[in-house]
């Protein structure tokens, strides 16, 4: 599940440029079970399997023996909402571990003693934390200096300034009678900047008024 998203597009280019190193570790490589088992039934009652603490602890300990980590993140439905502010903060870190949950999650002791941050990408439950981890990685890596062709591109993204990005246009200036707003082809950069900001505010009011309430 992680091979494709972590080896294409912006992430692939960032890796080739030496801007980021990404390694995927299989917890089965850290279990003492001869059958490479990493899950078991939950104490008490209820359906679903739980990832055991031992292989997770062994994996994290092995990684921490090689280098220091700024954050050890767990992807969980009840974690803090992952947003652009979190992506910006994490892009400034040196080393990060992302632990992907699976089944009914992980032994609570992992969360109590080994994890420093917990994030969710939305109010829904997925089969595992692999896809949230890939999404978070993409959001973080594209912010690294040099990852994008134009550094200004990431700075103008939605949510960077608490607003949604205004609509964008490209050639041709007219298609089927549908015209690009005259201001955008006027050449007046100051007026264009003001117009884009106004459009961004209006777009946010229409689509995500909650963002303005937080200002």
């Amino acid at each position: 599940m992680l091979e494709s998203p972590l080896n294409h597009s912006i992430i692939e280019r960032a890796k080739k440029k030496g801007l980021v190193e990404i390694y995927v570790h299989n917890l089965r490589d850290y279990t003492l079970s001869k059958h490479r088992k990493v899950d078991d039934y939950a104490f008490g009652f209820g359906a679903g399997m739980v990832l055991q603490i031992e292989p997770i602890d062994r994996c994290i300990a092995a990684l921490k023996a090689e280098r220091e980590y700024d954050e050890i993140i767990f992807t969980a439905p009840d974690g803090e909402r992952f947003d652009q502010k979190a992506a910006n903060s994490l892009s400034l870190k040196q080393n990060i571990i992302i632990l992907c949950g699976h089944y009914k999650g992980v032994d609570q002791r992992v969360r109590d003693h080994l994890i420093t941050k917990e994030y969710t990408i939305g109010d829904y439950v997925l089969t595992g934390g692999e896809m949230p981890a890939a999404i978070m990685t993409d959001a973080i890596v594209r912010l690294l200096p040099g990852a994008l062709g134009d550094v200004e591109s990431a700075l103008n993204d939605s949510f960077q300034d608490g607003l949604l990005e205004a609509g964008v246009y490209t050639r041709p200036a007219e298609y089927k009678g549908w015209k690009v707003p005259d201001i955008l082809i006027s050449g007046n950069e100051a007026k264009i900047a003001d117009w884009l900001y106004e459009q961004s505010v209006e777009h946010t009011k229409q689509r995500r008024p909650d963002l303005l309430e937080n200002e």
Side-chain angles (χ1 to χ4, degrees):
M1 294 181 72
L2 290 170
E3 285 181 1
S4 179
L6 297 183
N7 288 286
H8 287 89
S9 190
I10 298 298
I11 295 180
E12 180 188 33
R13 293 201 293 272
K15 289 166 66 175
K16 288 182 176 180
K17 289 181 178 180
L19 303 177
V20 63
E21 295 180 0
I22 301 175
Y23 302 98
V24 178
H25 300 271
N26 190 339
L27 289 176
R28 295 186 187 278
D29 295 334
Y30 296 90
T31 179
L32 298 178
S33 167
K34 65 178 181 180
H35 300 297
R36 303 183 73 207
K37 186 178 180 181
V38 296
D39 63 315
D40 209 334
Y41 293 103
F43 284 121
F45 61 89
M49 304 296 283
V50 180
L51 288 176
Q52 296 172 297
I53 187 172
E54 184 178 38
I56 295 174
D57 182 41
R58 288 169 58 84
C59 177
I60 291 176
L63 297 179
K64 290 175 69 175
E66 297 176 354
R67 60 179 61 87
E68 293 185 3
Y69 285 89
D70 301 294
E71 299 288 0
I72 301 176
I73 298 168
F74 177 54
T75 57
D78 59 345
E80 176 185 342
R81 179 69 66 92
F82 181 78
D83 56 15
Q84 192 63 41
K85 181 179 179 180
N88 290 338
S89 176
L90 291 172
S91 72
L92 301 176
K93 304 296 184 181
Q94 190 70 26
N95 295 304
I96 298 170
I97 293 174
I98 302 179
L99 173 64
C100 302
H102 213 72
Y103 310 117
K104 289 294 288 184
V106 301
D107 187 302
Q108 182 62 37
R109 290 168 292 183
V110 172
R111 303 175 70 171
D112 292 342
H113 301 288
L114 303 177
I115 301 301
T116 63
K117 286 277 189 181
E118 296 185 342
Y119 285 113
T120 179
I121 61 169
D123 295 340
Y124 44 84
V125 177
L126 299 173
T127 302
E130 293 85 0
M131 299 315 297
I135 289 171
M136 292 167 56
T137 300
D138 184 277
I140 294 166
V141 170
R142 69 189 306 279
L143 294 171
L144 299 178
L148 298 179
D150 185 350
V151 68
E152 294 292 327
S153 179
L155 297 178
N156 295 329
D157 283 342
S158 291
F159 306 111
Q160 281 291 12
D161 56 1
L163 299 172
L164 298 181
E165 187 176 9
V168 294
Y169 301 84
T170 188
R171 295 179 179 84
E174 182 175 349
Y175 178 74
K176 291 185 176 181
W178 306 329
K179 296 181 179 181
V180 171
D182 291 337
I183 184 66
L184 293 178
I185 54 178
S186 68
N188 190 320
E189 294 186 5
K191 289 186 177 181
I192 291 174
D194 290 342
W195 185 86
L196 288 173
Y197 176 75
E198 292 171 1
Q199 290 295 307
S200 182
V201 171
E202 186 60 32
H203 187 51
T204 305
K205 286 181 180 178
Q206 294 177 1
R207 300 289 182 97
R208 290 291 303 277
D210 58 297
L211 295 175
L212 297 174
E213 293 172 1
N214 294 330
E215 292 296 316

